[in-house]
Amino acid sequence: MVIVTRIRRDVLTLPAARLGPDNPLPALCPRDDVHRVSDRERAGMPDDMARQLGLAPLRSLLPVSLRDGYGRERQPRGLQTLVIENDRLRATVLPGLGGRLASLVHLPTGRELLYRNPVFQPADFALNGAWFSGGIEWNIGATGHTTLSCAPLHAARVPAPDGGEMLRLWEWERLRDLPFQIDLWLPEGSDFLYAGVRIRNPHERPVPTYWWSNTAVPEDRRILAPAEEAWHFGYENRLHRVPVPAYDGIDRTHPRNSTHPADWFYDVPDGRRRWIAALDADGHGLVQTSTDVLRGRKLFVWGSGPGGRRWQEWLTAPGTGGYCEIQAGLARTQLEHVPLAAQSEVSWLEAYGPLDTPAAGEWADVVKTAERRLAAVLPRDRVDAAYAAWRPYADTEPRATLAAGSGWGALEVLRAGLDLPGTPFPESTLGDAQEPWRQLLRTGALPDRDPARPPGPTLVAPPWRDLLETAPATAHTEYHLGVAQWHAGDRAQAVRSWERALRRAPAAWAALRCLAVADREAGHHERAADRYADAFRALCGEGHGKGHDDETWTAALAALGRETLEALLRARRPADARSVWQRLPDGVRGRGRFRLLLAELLLAEGRRAEARAVFDAGFEVADLREGADDIDRLWARLTDEPLPGRYDFRMRPDTGG
């Protein structure tokens, strides 16, 4: 047999914004969550769904860092890619950006099966910030877009079941401490790209698990799935069952028919084949199907309202056409987490390829015809057989490394002595971020750090917290111990640890900032403002004489400056906020986020016309959060005029215009 599958390196050049540095302040609190369901609504849901909706919500993003250092200035940049192709399909993978499939081209027809974003523009949609739209993304961790959206994955060639090669992607997911892998391969002559996915729980305790594969497709499609009902969730935070295809008299299987951004989780009956397709008016498009473990299917739409259209422009490029997403996950909805038993794993196979079948007509007839067509081009038993053939290869060791991910998996393997066949995390991948923690493992002591520098990331899992508790009690160790205790829910003990850190190093700005967060969360806003101001002054003092081109120090100054300004304005202390503003570097003050803060500061100072002038001059808040209402709330305080279109990112029906 001649194997025609090829895997090669390439470069994709796009207008791209820089990711910039991570936020050096620990993410002590969960971010504003737009995916909540009330207890009252949960009471009327199926038992397993209700349980999974309330299973293990995140206390914080720790140990992951926020990624908010990106901007919106785009220039041509080369993105490293890995291309896997046969004579039927060509898949382009971005190993440095979460393993995203940027493109999937059907070679005989020349059709791009995905929505291929013409730019790389990070935006604040991932759990930890930076995310970008387009292609197929692999979401693991917790409800939302993965913290690995803009992070590198390990990649290597591995043997495929047909004697050829697969492209393996793998990493250690840090929110839940779970290793996972994605094996991509194209059998000879296949019109379908296979993706074998495995998540392992190497721990001696159950772990909540989450997975959704999100595929961006052009929105001028009809979305088909084998369901007559769906769970609808919008940004008004209501989850309820609705009929498919029509709801409120409108056929919602056409993405442009919805006004506001919304999720439609199709309730595929048990025993029915799991699939979802996006077809154009001529009946051409993409189908995704899988083995039955990947239970859920979903449509996400931006809607035709001004907020949704503005987000589309923000995430892509004006005039390039809109997109929607078809998705597949482990549960009925993305609001659920599924328990994964101790020392067990879950795995499945997905398939992506072209489908030609009529899209117009009565729902039941169209779906039945599509199912028959799918059965003809990719029978269900062929998918099951491909999964069975792949499964023994999931443990096969990589042949040749193609890209490197992080060193966090190597650190966990070193700590726990884990054996993870097929997904090696060698010590050679350990880097500067992991080095202090490797020393803690080897010596029982955390090395000291220059107080002028941010203290670095904290590991918060129980074994690491135990090591911190027995380590020599330096200011640096007490700081990290407090962060780990905070994550564990022991806030009183965390405060005591940070206070001990301050006694050992009175100008320890990082500990002061943590205490300020604790005060803010406890409702002590005046004391929080005092501590934020003290922390900011201490940081400025540490940076005295250092050039402001130091990216890490500037990132700390910007992050702490923002939080300090917000705390002082909340405490109605505009004079103190003004003094903080004046100490910020010009490059920081010129950012869109800080232009918005300036407008708020001017309004607090009674300078309404000058605050309005900031809006009139124009600004772009690069890290505007999904569902955030910062801009429109401030605009409403300034004027009764309609919100200008350039600032309209509203996603809720009650404010969506």
Side-chain angles (χ1 to χ4, degrees):
M1 179 173 63
V2 177
I3 303 301
V4 297
T5 300
R6 298 171 295 280
I7 300 174
R8 57 183 170 85
R9 289 187 172 93
D10 205 346
V11 176
L12 175 63
T13 301
L14 295 175
R18 286 184 67 247
L19 273 172
D22 286 357
N23 188 318
L25 307 182
L28 296 176
C29 302
R31 311 186 75 194
D32 290 340
D33 186 6
V34 297
H35 303 105
R36 296 186 302 272
V37 177
S38 69
D39 291 339
R40 180 173 55 82
E41 286 191 354
R42 196 181 303 168
M45 295 176 181
D47 290 344
D48 63 332
M49 185 175 174
R51 284 194 305 271
Q52 291 173 174
L53 284 168
L55 180 63
L58 294 179
R59 292 194 184 102
S60 73
L61 290 179
L62 295 168
V64 177
S65 298
L66 288 177
R67 307 207 73 176
D68 60 2
Y70 53 87
R72 290 191 57 80
E73 293 183 5
R74 297 193 288 259
Q75 55 184 272
R77 303 181 193 275
L79 304 179
Q80 298 299 313
T81 67
L82 297 171
V83 178
I84 177 170
E85 61 185 324
N86 62 6
D87 59 342
R88 309 292 295 175
L89 284 175
R90 181 173 63 241
T92 302
V93 180
L94 298 169
L97 295 168
R100 180 82 59 102
L101 258 72
S103 170
L104 184 62
V105 176
H106 186 234
L107 297 174
T109 61
R111 292 183 190 134
E112 173 61 69
L113 299 180
L114 310 177
Y115 174 79
R116 181 172 180 169
N117 198 333
V119 302
F120 171 68
Q121 178 56 65
D124 194 0
F125 277 70
L127 286 164
N128 63 331
W131 170 88
F132 65 106
S133 63
I136 303 174
E137 59 174 311
W138 317 106
N139 289 291
I140 182 173
T143 297
H145 295 281
T146 177
T147 61
L148 297 166
S149 291
C150 291
L153 302 189
H154 301 280
R157 301 174 189 267
V158 293
D162 60 0
E165 288 187 320
M166 298 187 292
L167 173 61
R168 175 165 298 163
L169 305 165
W170 74 98
E171 244 302 354
W172 187 277
E173 198 288 311
R174 301 180 67 207
L175 290 179
R176 305 299 194 184
D177 274 333
L178 298 177
F180 71 98
Q181 71 189 79
I182 307 158
D183 287 353
L184 302 173
W185 88 99
L186 287 165
E188 180 184 0
S190 175
D191 278 320
F192 285 84
L193 173 70
Y194 291 151
V197 184
R198 175 168 65 166
I199 305 172
R200 288 189 273 198
N201 176 10
H203 308 295
E204 295 181 354
R205 66 185 191 282
V207 177
T209 310
Y210 174 91
W211 182 277
W212 281 79
S213 303
N214 293 5
T215 304
V217 293
E219 67 177 356
D220 60 345
R221 299 290 189 265
R222 191 181 194 191
I223 309 304
L224 306 183
E228 296 181 353
E229 292 184 309
W231 293 92
H232 171 257
F233 185 77
Y235 286 82
E236 66 274 26
N237 294 329
R238 184 186 174 204
L239 181 66
H240 61 291
R241 201 192 301 261
V242 299
V244 173
Y247 171 54
D248 282 348
I250 300 170
D251 186 341
R252 307 291 180 161
T253 63
H254 294 275
R256 289 178 171 173
N257 284 352
S258 293
T259 304
H260 305 286
D263 300 328
W264 309 85
F265 298 102
Y266 295 113
D267 200 352
V268 180
D270 290 341
R272 195 85 176 261
R273 186 175 185 181
R274 310 281 164 171
W275 62 274
I276 188 168
L279 305 171
D280 65 19
D282 295 324
H284 305 308
L286 171 80
V287 65
Q288 187 273 359
T289 187
S290 70
T291 49
D292 289 348
V293 166
L294 204 63
R295 174 180 187 174
R297 292 299 185 275
K298 171 193 161 183
L299 165 65
F300 167 76
V301 300
W302 281 108
S304 59
R309 305 327 295 171
R310 184 70 180 106
W311 273 118
Q312 295 253 29
E313 294 176 353
W314 188 257
L315 296 170
T316 60
T320 57
Y323 75 94
C324 63
E325 290 181 357
I326 57 174
Q327 307 181 8
L330 283 175
R332 285 186 184 90
T333 74
Q334 285 178 327
L335 312 181
E336 302 169 65
H337 299 109
V338 178
L340 184 58
Q343 298 182 329
S344 71
E345 60 184 53
V346 60
S347 61
W348 62 90
L349 185 89
E350 303 181 45
Y352 296 84
L355 185 68
D356 298 308
T357 185
E362 291 297 319
W363 178 252
D365 296 336
V366 169
V367 169
K368 186 177 296 184
T369 301
E371 280 190 310
R372 285 198 297 265
R373 180 60 183 157
L374 176 58
V377 297
L378 186 65
R380 186 175 187 175
D381 58 6
R382 188 186 301 171
V383 175
D384 292 338
Y387 170 73
W390 164 73
R391 193 62 189 81
Y393 287 79
D395 284 350
T396 305
E397 293 302 316
R399 284 176 172 169
T401 298
L402 298 172
S406 77
W408 296 114
L411 189 66
E412 293 301 325
V413 168
L414 189 64
R415 179 192 62 77
L418 300 175
D419 182 23
L420 299 169
T423 54
F425 294 98
E427 282 195 57
S428 60
T429 61
L430 293 169
D432 291 344
Q434 293 83 38
E435 182 56 31
W437 302 94
R438 179 163 66 168
Q439 290 192 40
L440 176 62
L441 273 179
R442 288 181 170 177
T443 69
L446 196 67
D448 278 336
R449 189 178 179 93
D450 179 356
R453 312 297 298 173
T458 304
L459 296 182
V460 297
W464 292 105
R465 190 172 71 246
D466 292 344
L467 286 169
L468 288 170
E469 287 175 345
T470 57
T474 65
H476 188 56
T477 302
E478 294 283 11
Y479 160 81
H480 284 293
L481 176 58
V483 174
Q485 290 164 333
W486 179 275
H487 177 263
D490 192 349
R491 295 191 170 189
Q493 189 58 55
V495 167
R496 286 192 285 272
S497 294
W498 292 325
E499 288 173 341
R500 286 195 298 270
L502 276 182
R503 286 196 292 271
R504 295 176 181 275
W509 61 267
L512 276 168
R513 180 262 178 180
C514 288
L515 288 168
V517 173
D519 284 332
R520 184 192 69 200
E521 293 300 297
H524 304 308
H525 295 299
E526 190 65 35
R527 190 166 67 192
D530 287 338
R531 279 179 160 157
Y532 266 122
D534 290 344
F536 185 77
R537 281 192 294 270
L539 177 59
C540 290
E542 294 287 3
H544 182 68
K546 296 182 181 291
H548 285 190
D549 58 345
D550 185 314
E551 191 173 60
T552 302
W553 186 80
T554 301
L557 195 68
L560 184 56
R562 172 184 171 178
E563 291 187 12
T564 304
L565 285 169
E566 291 170 344
L568 291 168
L569 289 170
R570 187 184 298 112
R572 300 184 179 182
R573 292 164 55 176
D576 291 334
R578 174 62 64 177
S579 67
V580 170
W581 173 265
Q582 291 171 341
R583 298 192 72 172
L584 292 170
D586 289 343
V588 172
R589 288 190 293 193
R591 299 176 188 176
R593 170 63 63 183
F594 286 86
R595 301 304 295 171
L596 181 62
L597 281 169
L598 174 60
E600 187 174 356
L601 172 56
L602 289 166
L603 183 59
E605 292 172 331
R607 300 156 69 180
R608 182 178 297 270
E610 292 174 74
R612 169 63 186 265
V614 173
F615 277 85
D616 293 341
F619 58 84
E620 291 186 324
V621 181
D623 61 336
L624 188 67
R625 183 71 173 159
E626 173 191 12
D629 57 2
D630 312 42
I631 294 177
D632 44 294
R633 282 193 297 106
L634 183 56
W635 176 262
R637 291 170 59 196
L638 285 171
T639 177
D640 293 332
E641 297 175 24
L643 182 67
R646 66 181 300 177
Y647 300 122
D648 191 350
F649 295 89
R650 295 174 294 185
M651 302 177 79
R652 294 176 177 82
D654 57 343
T655 59

